[in-house]
Amino acid sequence: MTERNGLAVRLGRAAALSLIAGTVGGAAILAGQAIAARSRPYAQPELGLALRAAVGRAGAPALRLVLLGDSSALGVGVARLEETVGGQLAHLLAEGPTGRRVQLSSVGVSGSRSTDLATQVARALLGERPDVAVILIGANDATALARPADAAAYLGSAIRRLREAHVEVVVGTCPDLGAVRAVASPLRQVLAWSGRRIARAQISAVLDAGGTVVDLAAETGPVFRADAGTLCHDAYHPSADGYRVWAHALLPAVEAAATVAARHH
């Protein structure tokens, strides 16, 4: 299923199942907004984006960094590796006080939900073991109105498998879907509500599984709501500026995880 079609199905389901559509008129409004959202052209994964890259000076302390998750782990919405959240994180780590040589890779798949993480973990652990894994997941669970407990359980399982393989894990929770401009109100509020429920469940699951959590909605939501430039042309996926905001929010946790990983070498 393509990202556009998958999103369309999820938005339609959100409208159909919304608890706030208590009247025929409310349901009609939500249905109309879902149709409008489905008809929008959404950004697609850029085939030219490299899934593996080395960033930083040769001879610097090495750090193997892998991204797992949905379209945000791939960088849908931008055209260059340097503009993705992974690329920007790698450059920040390379240019930071420790000056690391980052071996960057991504096993994320556009449209993924938490149920898809098991396959991604298996791919991430092929070959050389990564030092740090960054997981960005939850938006598609929220738009599908998935049960938060179920989504959190799959996420927790993925983290435990990575931790058992001695990989440090940082999770960016479901972002603030109330900032998405591709969807009109009140459907946008429905998605925001669903996203908050997913994020709350994720926070508990990450901590229980031994990972580090970054609440992207709390830390970056106000910026995305205030600045339309944080979203790309489809008004749904982040732009290069949006991914930069996320990278800076994730950086302290990733730096700390990298320091812990270096001690274990």
Side-chain angles (χ1 to χ4, degrees):
M1 182 180 291
T2 67
E3 170 72 4
R4 178 176 177 179
N5 290 340
L7 177 61
V9 170
R10 293 191 297 274
L11 289 173
R13 189 177 300 150
L17 299 180
S18 171
L19 296 178
I20 73 168
T23 66
V24 173
I29 291 171
L30 288 167
Q33 290 173 348
I35 291 170
R38 287 199 298 269
S39 66
R40 293 177 64 96
Y42 290 96
Q44 300 296 306
E46 290 284 345
L47 297 180
L49 284 180
L51 295 182
R52 293 184 181 274
V55 180
R57 64 177 177 83
L63 174 69
R64 291 186 294 275
L65 175 66
V66 63
L67 272 71
L68 301 86
D70 54 27
S71 58
S72 56
L74 277 178
V76 172
V78 299
R80 298 187 302 144
L81 173 70
E82 295 79 8
E83 298 173 325
T84 67
V85 66
Q88 298 197 56
L89 262 177
H91 279 281
L92 289 169
L93 291 163
E95 295 164 4
T98 54
R100 300 180 188 278
R101 173 76 167 176
V102 182
Q103 299 291 335
L104 174 68
S105 62
S106 174
V107 295
V109 177
S110 187
S112 289
R113 292 169 55 179
S114 298
T115 54
D116 301 307
L117 287 174
T119 301
Q120 293 186 25
V121 169
R123 291 174 58 203
L125 294 177
L126 284 174
E128 282 194 292
R129 174 182 58 81
D131 299 303
V132 178
V134 174
I135 303 177
L136 300 171
I137 201 77
N140 296 320
D141 294 290
T143 57
L145 295 183
R147 290 183 68 246
D150 291 344
Y154 285 111
L155 174 60
S157 176
I159 295 168
R160 287 185 180 91
R161 286 175 59 198
L162 289 165
R163 297 293 295 123
E164 287 168 1
H166 306 291
V167 179
E168 300 297 318
V169 182
V170 176
V171 175
T173 61
C174 179
D176 180 10
L177 297 180
V180 170
R181 292 165 172 81
V183 181
S185 297
L187 182 55
R188 188 189 304 173
Q189 277 65 49
V190 175
L191 299 184
W193 164 80
S194 181
R196 288 192 298 271
R197 295 177 72 228
I198 293 291
R200 283 195 297 269
Q202 287 178 319
I203 290 170
S204 296
V206 174
L207 297 177
D208 287 346
T212 301
V213 65
V214 178
D215 188 339
L216 288 181
E219 295 199 22
T220 70
V223 179
F224 275 78
R225 287 186 182 233
D227 182 6
T230 53
L231 298 176
C232 75
H233 64 86
D234 68 5
Y236 184 82
H237 296 92
S239 65
D241 286 340
Y243 283 128
R244 184 177 302 111
V245 171
W246 281 1
H248 279 279
L250 291 163
L251 181 62
V254 175
E255 283 185 322
T259 299
V260 172
R263 292 197 201 111
H264 295 162
H265 279 180

